[in-house]
Amino acid sequence: MTSTLPGLLDTEAIRKDFPILDRVVHDGAKLVYLDNAATSQKPTQVLDALADYYERHNANVHRGVHVLAEEATALYESARDKVAEFINAPSRDEVVFTKNASESLNLVANMLGWADEPYRVERGTEIVITEMEHHSNIVPWQLLAQRTGAELKWFGLTDGGRLDVSGVDELITERTKVVALTLVSNIMGTINPLEPIIRRAQEVGALVVVDASQAAPHMPLDVQDLQADFVAFTGHKMCGPTGIGVLWGRQELLEDLPPFLGGGEMIETVTMHSSTYAPAPHKFEAGTPPVAQAVGLGVAVDYLSAIGMDRIWQHEHALTEYAVRRLREIPDLRIIGPDSAEDRGATISFTLGDIHPHDVGQVLDEQGIAVRVGHHCARPVCLRYGIPATTRASFYLYNTPAEVDALADGLEHVRNFFA
Amino acid sequence: MTSTLPGLLDTEAIRKDFPILDRVVHDGAKLVYLDNAATSQKPTQVLDALADYYERHNANVHRGVHVLAEEATALYESARDKVAEFINAPSRDEVVFTKNASESLNLVANMLGWADEPYRVERGTEIVITEMEHHSNIVPWQLLAQRTGAELKWFGLTDGGRLDVSGVDELITERTKVVALTLVSNIMGTINPLEPIIRRAQEVGALVVVDASQAAPHMPLDVQDLQADFVAFTGHKMCGPTGIGVLWGRQELLEDLPPFLGGGEMIETVTMHSSTYAPAPHKFEAGTPPVAQAVGLGVAVDYLSAIGMDRIWQHEHALTEYAVRRLREIPDLRIIGPDSAEDRGATISFTLGDIHPHDVGQVLDEQGIAVRVGHHCARPVCLRYGIPATTRASFYLYNTPAEVDALADGLEHVRNFFA
Amino acid sequence: MKLDSMYQDVILDHYKHPHGRGLRDGDAEAHHTNPTCGDEITLRVRYDGETIQDVSYEGQGCSISQASASVLNELLVGKELPEARRIQDTFLELMQSKGQIEQADIDVMEDVLEDAVAFAGVSKYPARVKCALLSWMAWKDATAQVFSEKERGAA
Amino acid sequence: MKLDSMYQDVILDHYKHPHGRGLRDGDAEAHHTNPTCGDEITLRVRYDGETIQDVSYEGQGCSISQASASVLNELLVGKELPEARRIQDTFLELMQSKGQIEQADIDVMEDVLEDAVAFAGVSKYPARVKCALLSWMAWKDATAQVFSEKERGAA
Ligand SMILES: Cc1ncc(COP(=O)(O)O)c(C=O)c1O
Ligand SMILES: Cc1ncc(COP(=O)(O)O)c(C=O)c1O
């Protein structure tokens, strides 16, 4: 039955690139890695690029006339080109490397707190987010609101796990300076309709910050199509190393807005009395950047592009359709979020009767099945649906229908165990 | 003559751990890597640890019940133990992982800007730094001063490249909230006498932030001996990967001070209305941390400790003594900074007649000798000594007296070339 | 199956049939959460001098945290404070043993811990140790409140 | 030796004996720096209509940036603006060629660039390309000021 799923990738070939997928855990269980929304595994292509960087080219970037420094700089900057192309950025200078998506989002929040008019967030202005944001797209705005006196507002959720955009005109007002929201929910997989929100934001002159952490790894991402002002995502979820994130921002904004971290690399000239700043993206890259990690991310996007983001998306969609079907057969299983494969990514959260997710995850782990349990850094979603936590399975390009079956069978075993 | 230098390490053995040192550049020149103050090379032990992490244990940390998540968390947290031990921190919870030293320093500056009394930096208070700081320890404080209205003051330099501490009692006053200074200058190699400064800061109740970026890689560092409140350093200069830095802070300060970046991992509980924060160090580690990089840094400090930080220090001291001697023989060469090996690290800046450092560096590079040229992110030092830039050679545990000779011979060649 | 070492029948029993669950009057209350998994407990203690009259609690969490609260209630109610502290210390020691503890030592602990030795298997799972300790930390906290208030009252 | 391709005698000559160095009166001034190495230049232009009357400059920097300013002075003074722009574009093209340009193309460029073709070798060294372009960027900037002011005056 599973072999007939349409749109699947050649996972047999792909899995050869990911040595960790051959791991055997707990004395004999084959690893079934379904925790991709937390972090993805890395192909050998990326690991080889890291090793090659350190073994042959490692140097600090931008400031050297020697060979290694020139090579390292060229590698680092060509990673920027690759990422710019991957998201169809109008200019490479719009791609800022950070340490993760959280830093990218905090960077924007801080810039807006220190900005001049018309961008400045301050008392009397409003920040709009949603109830399904990852904590990394909630807490920076809470901090900004606390520190400036601005008001924090949010879109709520429907019972079916969708963003409730019915009140968009009342939520986003002339006082709104910034709207920050996720493209894909990291807990429910929901894909949000950004268009009406961005249209309204543009009407009132508010900036739009899109958290694409769960989108960039899984679907084609075109920042020009998106029409947002800032887009944040993180390398480790898209086959890249840990320690590298991206902030894309519209050029004139990056030019106008003040710096965030101060230090080496981000300056033009420094005296003890004052400093001037380098043009973007360097203005936002204080200190020695995560050079090797950027290089690794560049190879990761090459890897993904070679397979094709639309094909990856189709593969995940097929798996999701199958997984939703299998999960709905399990008694007492309740999907938290959209319970079909429509307009959703390959991340599925659920509860299983009154068995606590911690227990579900533990018994699955014993069978080699790695899922995540808890509030997934999106506690307000759990509060919204009156549950303490969920079990979350999330798929990626290397997952197979057989692994969906393993999950479904594993859940039956969990039910029996706690029966 | 060189074989008689006392205190040298067995560089022949050590160099086997650093594959990049065998590189040949420019069709035939053997690499002589003397740009260690910019970044160090990495031993295979560290590279193997990175590969092993990604190939066997990679997962997101802290939130999983599955095997990989537990292994990754254990590896990440044991890196914290290793770093804590390396700097003799009273508690592992005082070690915060950042992306680099620049972030560590910005973190402190931002915390103090948002802190409550008695730590709060605001109008009417003072920040004291020095004229020999790296831009990463200047710009964050300039930004803080601009944004809060606090006054920025600094220790000047003597003609001999030392900190002029004669005015310590007038510079550090009852209004001073924070004193930030480097332990070792990244441009002149000068080791600063922290004791009188810290004593005075304690007298007036100011916090002391030590930038140990150029100290941690090269000498034993004991944060308890140091008696500072915060100590920052960076992984890539001490045999670790790029993308990882450290901030050590006294526990009660980390507890009392507000968070910096908001996001996943750093919270205790989140509602849409407000959040509470996890205890330190997690409070300061928003988002997915640089997991692999922390693991790599842990192995790097193991590597350095196995050799012994005091032995590394002796080795570098011997090389420095020899290098100063050889450089002083070169006509028209002027050392910027201490011109002996006393109280200085293995970083030597100089000018060579009126040959611009860029040209010096280029002609050295052609011979395979990698040095750095420019203002080394310490432009105020260049202004202070009335020079546009310097050429800087900096040594590490794998450098040899023969490489000092190569530098000296190379500089003769530079002189002839531009004669 | 290795899992059985964690999910001992004793634990599953306590989970399904918890002792003394529900919030009743007390001298002090503590609310503890485990941010990694969202487990929460609100726990009250009632003392008569140094004798534990009641430990009542309410919360949500996994089998381990729920069972552990139930075991705590069963073990501590009626005990004198010093004895209760000894039990808590022993339990902490067991949970921090990373599954490395000898069966002989476990047998010795059993005299003190009774049913709670069943948690030995949990100590192998770092993520779950926090679950098992949640109610014990809340008890410690609530107890500290009671006696620091008494001291302040006395001073 | 490969270095010789960068440090052509022409370049070293200009470095040691710069043309038109020093700041003189001008219609506009631009100050450019190269933050990576601290090179600085202050450059003034004086126009008579569209004819470049003078390019004067002062600054500190390496042989490449100094020689490039000297060559710029030699090449541009006396030229009409459109011709000067063509020279600047050609120089930019040469510098961005990453050392990949064919000798035949260089020969063609030589008609436009004269001494400045000697910088072909510099294009192989990314860190030095900025040095070579520093004065040219300052010239472009100062010139833009002059003509945007004229336009504003005319408008
Ligand atoms: C003294 C000093 N402080 C701070 C830094 C900044 O370190 P990083 O670039 O890793 O943030 C450096 C090195 O660049 C340094 O030498
Ligand atoms: C939707 C979303 N936003 C932001 C983040 C934060 O990413 P990082 O932890 O890499 O900063 C994540 C993942 O953790 C996420 O899923």
Side-chain angles (χ1 to χ4, degrees), chain B residues 304-361:
Chain B
L304 294 173
S305 299
I307 294 173
M309 290 310 296
D310 41 1
R311 298 205 46 213
I312 291 172
W313 168 247
Q314 278 167 33
H315 173 82
E316 294 186 22
H317 186 71
L319 279 185
T320 306
E321 216 158 32
Y322 181 58
V324 167
R325 179 142 48 92
R326 293 279 339 240
L327 291 180
R328 289 176 66 171
E329 288 162 16
I330 298 171
D332 306 328
L333 188 144
R334 172 184 165 207
I335 291 180
I336 305 297
D339 68 351
S340 79
E342 285 316 295
D343 293 328
R344 60 129 65 237
T347 291
I348 310 180
S349 268
F350 54 85
T351 58
L352 188 62
D354 57 5
I355 308 174
H356 192 279
H358 238 181
D359 294 314
V360 175

Side-chain angles (χ1 to χ4, degrees), chain C residues 38-55:
Chain C
D39 283 4
E40 292 190 25
I41 194 160
T42 306
L43 179 146
R44 289 188 192 151
V45 289
R46 195 153 51 79
Y47 280 87
D48 176 9
E50 294 222 325
T51 312
I52 301 175
Q53 293 278 316
D54 192 16
V55 180

Side-chain angles (χ1 to χ4, degrees), chain C residues 72-107:
Chain C
L72 180 150
N73 170 286
E74 195 179 63
L75 266 177
L76 297 195
V77 172
K79 295 279 193 314
E80 294 299 304
L81 183 57
E83 168 69 1
R85 287 213 166 112
R86 199 162 67 91
I87 296 172
Q88 132 107 19
D89 286 347
T90 311
F91 188 69
L92 197 67
E93 192 188 330
L94 179 68
M95 294 319 298
Q96 291 173 342
S97 67
K98 301 188 174 162
Q100 306 289 323
I101 209 159
E102 304 286 328
Q103 187 56 45
D105 291 329
I106 293 183
D107 293 345

Side-chain angles (χ1 to χ4, degrees), chain A residues 60 63 264-265 286-289, chain B residues 37-38 99-105 132-137 182-187 211-215 232-237 244-245 376-377 392:
Chain A
N60 212 322
R63 283 169 298 172
E265 311 274 7
T288 304
Chain B
K99 70 172 172 178
N100 55 24
S102 302
E103 187 191 357
S104 300
L105 294 164
M132 70 163 83
E133 297 311 309
H134 187 279
H135 293 163
S136 293
N137 203 24
T182 193
L183 185 45
V184 180
S185 160
N186 77 302
I187 174 166
D211 178 356
S213 302
Q214 296 288 348
F233 52 98
T234 199
H236 66 91
K237 293 190 205 282
I244 182 85
H376 316 290
C377 290
R392 180 186 73 183

